Amino acid sequence: MERQVAHSWTQAFGVGYPIILQGIIDMGNRLSVIATRTGDDGTTGLGDGARLGKDDPRIAAMGDVDELNSTLGVLAAEGLPEGIAADISTIQHDLFDMGAELCIPGHIALRDEQVAFLDTRLAHYNAALAPLKEFILPGGTRAAALAHISRTVCRRAERSVIALGRNTTINAPVRQYLNRLSDLLFVLARALNAHAGQSDVYWRSERLRNG
């Protein structure tokens, strides 16, 4: 079972995204065969051994969560402030848990405590920022812009999970985590601008721009 679960997840998203499940995966196992060719027919394997079309809503949700984690990897490569870097690392591990849960229907990996962590960090960063009275544009520093990209990918992942939930049961913390994370990424973009001494980029309506 251990080899099947890990192998199925790697088939779906490549060697960089193996499934990590506490008490299930033997951490000593390392896959050496990457190109299995089993997906050449347009299907991919789940952790329970089932095969689905690569355009199935469950696979779409798994892929969007994978993409979100990858964008956070790009953000983390920017040389972030220590506290933000630590939080991004925690979030990336949590998203692996989420991917594991989506990969095995009925499996529970994401917990309420992980959602609560985002609430705590959101309050922490927001407390240090000036109240926002205007809409802001994605941008400022490169790191802030990347946080905004992660935010929008997070919203897409949330929509994919909600779409999946129309026909199957989704653990509530999965939806809640993505909803909270998009909010946190918005606040982190502002925090990154503030850390660099960069003002937020405020939106001005066409009337004001041309007035």
Side-chain angles (χ1 to χ4, degrees):
M1 176 63 179
E2 291 88 351
R3 290 179 181 271
Q4 182 184 54
V5 172
H7 188 62
S8 297
W9 188 246
T10 301
Q11 282 181 309
F13 293 113
V15 70
Y17 211 153
I19 193 170
I20 307 299
L21 298 175
Q22 289 184 349
I24 297 180
I25 299 300
D26 177 5
M27 295 302 291
N29 291 337
R30 291 293 182 269
L31 298 178
S32 58
V33 178
I34 308 306
T36 65
R37 298 180 176 82
T38 56
D40 288 351
D41 63 353
T43 67
T44 191
L46 296 181
D48 62 0
R51 295 196 68 80
L52 297 176
K54 292 183 178 181
D55 59 350
D56 185 271
R58 182 174 294 276
I59 304 304
M62 290 163 60
D64 286 342
V65 171
D66 184 19
E67 183 180 351
L68 170 59
N69 211 339
S70 297
T71 67
L72 291 174
V74 176
L75 175 58
E78 283 296 296
L80 305 176
E82 184 177 352
I84 293 178
D87 288 341
I88 293 298
S89 177
T90 296
I91 291 165
Q92 287 193 283
H93 285 280
D94 287 348
L95 290 175
F96 257 64
D97 290 338
M98 184 181 296
E101 184 165 327
L102 292 171
C103 185
I104 305 177
H107 175 67
I108 301 298
L110 208 65
R111 306 294 179 180
D112 291 334
E113 292 80 5
Q114 288 161 289
V115 179
F117 166 79
L118 296 184
D119 286 328
T120 299
R121 302 314 291 160
L122 181 61
H124 168 77
Y125 291 111
N126 211 30
L129 296 171
L132 195 58
K133 299 179 180 179
E134 307 272 352
F135 290 109
I136 63 172
L137 301 179
T141 63
R142 176 179 167 83
L146 290 171
H148 278 294
I149 290 174
S150 293
R151 172 182 60 82
T152 59
V153 174
C154 186
R155 284 298 189 194
R156 172 152 46 85
E158 181 186 12
R159 292 193 297 271
S160 294
V161 166
I162 290 171
L164 175 62
R166 293 195 185 104
N167 297 307
T168 191
T169 301
I170 298 295
N171 182 27
V174 173
R175 296 191 308 272
Q176 294 164 356
Y177 193 96
L178 291 170
N179 188 41
R180 300 294 201 289
L181 178 55
S182 61
D183 292 338
L184 177 58
L185 288 167
F186 178 85
V187 171
L188 283 179
R190 296 192 66 210
L192 287 165
N193 275 339
H195 180 266
Q198 168 73 49
S199 298
D200 289 317
V201 181
Y202 291 99
W203 169 73
R204 293 186 300 140
S205 69
E206 183 179 6
R207 178 180 59 83
L208 292 176
R209 292 197 304 271
N210 299 328

